[in-house]
Amino acid sequence: MDDDPLVRSALHTMLGGTPLVEIVGQAADGTHVPAAVAAHDPQVVLMDIRMPVVDGLAATAALRARPDAPEVIILTTFDTDDHVLRALRAGAAGFVLKDTPPARILDAILRVADGETMLSPSVLRQLVDHVTTGEGARRHRAAERLDRLTTREREVATRIGEGLTNAEIAASLHMSVATVKAHITRILTALGLNNRVQIALLAHDAAPGGDSPTTGRTRNPR
């Protein structure tokens, strides 16, 4: 989803050259998101922010509110605090700048399709600032929400906040990956969250001392 036809063409050329990704459709504005997703049933949507009628942030929020929605990666030139936090709160599983090397964009798509997250380094720095500024009241609210979870679910949520993959969480808690995924599903339902990025934000908000996020560190989650 990008209003610039040159960007869409470049992405199509870049991603079309790998057998790991199939491009099923494209559109130029957020107003076209519902119809395009219904027609093509993608696993992942690459979403620009600045589009002429409905921007990518509004389109992401509307899309992620639907049942069985695809994952969304914001792919943009803008990484201001407001854009980053609005995108992640809306349910985006990734936030990647357009000057990111092609291999990293492909890696982001594969990670997000596999249920992981991908955030550019500048976005991670902003999340550090977010969790270390005005933390008192936010920490209290976040801790109250996490108290709704079982002990095991809180352990899983904490490890998501530490940036661990499902396989790493399974190993650290001595459970199967399938069990980890089941816990994540229950956490999302219990807390009314959209994806694991929002779990990570909540876990960081609740953490004493504002521990720095590590959600987007480079590793192979598969």
Side-chain angles (χ1 to χ4, degrees):
M1 302 293 178
D2 198 298
D3 63 330
D4 188 337
L6 292 178
V7 171
R8 297 200 308 272
S9 177
L11 287 170
H12 195 286
T13 299
M14 178 188 75
L15 297 174
T18 172
L20 300 175
V21 172
E22 178 187 2
I23 300 173
V24 295
Q26 56 180 284
D29 187 75
T31 55
H32 305 144
V33 169
V37 168
H40 302 295
D41 192 26
Q43 287 180 280
V44 178
V45 174
L46 296 181
M47 186 84 74
D48 188 23
I49 287 182
R50 293 286 179 87
M51 291 185 285
V53 181
V54 175
D55 69 25
L57 300 176
T60 296
L63 178 58
R64 292 296 299 166
R66 296 164 48 132
D68 301 320
E71 300 294 346
V72 176
I73 297 173
I74 299 294
L75 183 63
T76 181
T77 56
F78 303 96
D79 66 343
T80 64
D81 290 354
D82 180 58
H83 286 145
V84 169
L85 293 175
R86 282 182 60 197
L88 298 182
R89 299 293 188 195
F95 197 112
V96 180
L97 299 182
K98 287 182 179 178
D99 61 1
T100 300
R104 290 292 301 276
I105 294 176
L106 175 61
D107 184 52
I109 293 170
L110 298 178
R111 286 172 183 267
V112 166
D114 200 37
E116 303 294 338
T117 60
M118 187 66 177
L119 305 177
S120 69
S122 64
V123 170
L124 284 177
R125 286 193 295 271
Q126 291 181 55
L127 291 184
V128 170
D129 292 340
H130 167 69
V131 299
T132 56
T133 303
E135 61 187 34
R138 184 173 59 246
R139 184 189 304 166
H140 178 72
R141 290 192 300 269
E144 283 187 333
R145 295 186 70 187
L146 289 181
D147 282 344
R148 303 175 195 171
L149 304 178
T150 67
T151 299
R152 206 58 160 166
E153 288 167 353
R154 285 198 298 273
E155 290 173 342
V156 171
T158 298
R159 282 160 175 78
I160 289 174
E162 293 169 354
L164 272 63
T165 66
N166 289 345
E168 291 170 331
I169 295 171
S172 70
L173 296 178
H174 308 290
M175 62 176 67
S176 69
V177 172
T179 301
V180 172
K181 290 181 178 180
H183 280 305
I184 292 172
T185 298
R186 288 195 290 271
I187 292 168
L188 294 172
T189 300
L191 300 181
L193 300 177
N194 199 278
N195 58 27
R196 66 189 293 133
V197 174
Q198 294 180 338
I199 296 175
L201 287 172
L202 187 65
H204 284 299
D205 283 350
D211 294 338
S212 298
T214 55
T215 309
R217 42 182 194 173
T218 301
R219 59 171 70 246
N220 184 351
R222 294 170 294 283

